[in-house]
Amino acid sequence: MSFIIIAIDGPSGVGKSTIARKLAAELSCVYVDTGAMFRCLALSWGKQGCPESDLFLQELGEQTRIYFEDEKTFCDEIDVTDEIRSEDISSLASRISLFPSIREVMKKKQRALVKEECEAGNYKGAVLEGRDIGTVVFPYADHKFFIDASPEIRAERRYLQLREQDVDADFQEILSALVERDHQDKNRSIAPLRAAEDAIIIDTGNMNIDEVMQHLLESVDRTKIYA
Ligand code: DC
């Protein structure tokens, strides 16, 4: 039996999670938030004092159990859904993602997670969101999308979201943190953030979520799902 694999890559704060989650639900696929997986490791790494060793990180990566259940993220059986969303963890995750050992461990974990979930018979395939899904983790994915928007638009969306939640926010601070993370993600030597050559690029600058969803659904070949 074959499973459909859909890769959704793009920079921070572009709305990949909302889009990927919706698409997965619509297509009866498992949703895999690979950024959350990097964040879980960053959390464990931070708790251990951030030792800068490739071997240490490899062992940490191999030993840490990460899984998703009922829209929650678990790291070694602890629900870390909210804890991994802090600004500190965002920048630690970006730092940790530079290590070659971590990229290798995460690639294996992501592939294994998809295989396990699909073979258990609960899903028709997987929708994965991240930075290197279409280029490295699943280069033979059935569909690849690269979702983009300017840093200013992404920062403004984040700012409004925080204000709506009554959280104190500074637009300039959000923008500089985004620009710094973009720079780190795009310029690392291994698996940098970039669109795969065969990815469909969608600039969401002037689009709402429903319009993006429509675009994605029109591009997905549903015959592959029910094959
Ligand atoms: O998508 P996110 O903001 O939750 O991801 C957090 C960090 O993890 C991001 O700065 C880079 C890293 N990451 C990565 O290197 N590769 C992925 N496939 C997903 C995330």
Side-chain angles (χ1 to χ4, degrees):
M1 186 163 178
S2 66
F3 300 101
I4 191 166
I5 302 288
I6 301 178
I8 300 189
D9 290 305
S12 300
V14 77
K16 295 188 301 292
S17 305
T18 312
I19 294 162
R21 197 188 295 278
K22 271 179 172 261
L23 188 68
E26 178 73 28
L27 302 176
S28 308
C29 287
V30 60
Y31 160 63
V32 182
D33 176 355
T34 64
M37 298 174 78
F38 279 90
R39 286 169 182 270
C40 284
L41 278 192
L43 184 68
S44 307
W45 187 49
K47 283 183 180 161
Q48 305 209 21
C50 306
E52 300 263 346
S53 136
D54 221 29
L55 184 62
F56 175 86
L57 279 163
Q58 183 180 339
E59 283 171 4
L60 182 72
E62 283 165 354
Q63 287 159 11
T64 307
R65 184 166 131 72
I66 303 167
Y67 62 96
F68 303 99
E69 215 170 81
D70 299 331
E71 302 203 356
K72 294 200 173 299
T73 307
F74 290 83
C75 180
D76 290 330
E77 323 302 327
I78 298 169
D79 177 359
V80 295
T81 314
D82 296 328
E83 205 180 345
I84 58 170
R85 295 292 150 193
S86 72
E87 280 304 313
D88 284 353
I89 294 297
S90 299
S91 60
L92 272 191
S94 186
R95 249 178 82 200
I96 214 171
S97 69
L98 305 175
F99 287 84
S101 59
I102 283 295
R103 299 227 66 89
E104 206 45 43
V105 170
M106 292 308 255
K107 181 170 72 183
K108 285 189 190 144
K109 271 193 191 300
Q110 289 155 16
R111 288 179 177 168
L113 186 70
V114 167
K115 189 167 185 281
E116 209 176 287
E117 294 284 359
C118 290
E119 286 184 354
N122 302 326
Y123 298 102
K124 306 275 185 197
V127 177
L128 298 101
E129 59 132 318
R131 305 290 190 287
D132 60 342
I133 308 302
T135 50
V136 175
V137 183
F138 284 102
Y140 301 110
D142 298 278
H143 294 285
K144 299 179 187 178
F145 299 101
F146 191 86
I147 314 279
D148 212 352
S150 72
E152 289 74 18
I153 285 182
R154 287 182 278 137
E156 191 186 355
R157 287 179 187 159
R158 179 78 183 133
Y159 174 77
L160 294 175
Q161 193 184 35
L162 289 171
R163 292 300 301 267
E164 234 170 63
Q165 297 163 355
D166 271 339
V167 176
D168 249 352
D170 181 284
F171 175 79
Q172 279 308 327
E173 266 178 32
I174 296 173
L175 180 61
S176 347
L178 264 181
V179 169
E180 193 184 322
R181 263 199 290 154
D182 278 2
H183 180 80
Q184 214 164 69
D185 291 348
K186 285 180 181 168
N187 292 290
R188 64 179 174 229
S189 54
I190 305 168
L193 168 66
R194 65 175 174 82
E197 277 176 15
D198 49 350
I200 295 178
I201 299 176
I202 303 175
D203 189 326
T204 66
N206 291 316
M207 293 168 94
N208 62 32
I209 295 286
D210 290 341
E211 288 166 330
V212 179
M213 278 301 293
Q214 196 183 338
H215 194 345
L216 295 188
L217 286 168
E218 280 166 7
S219 311
V220 170
D221 178 3
R222 286 182 189 239
T223 57
K224 282 191 181 161
I225 303 176
Y226 302 105

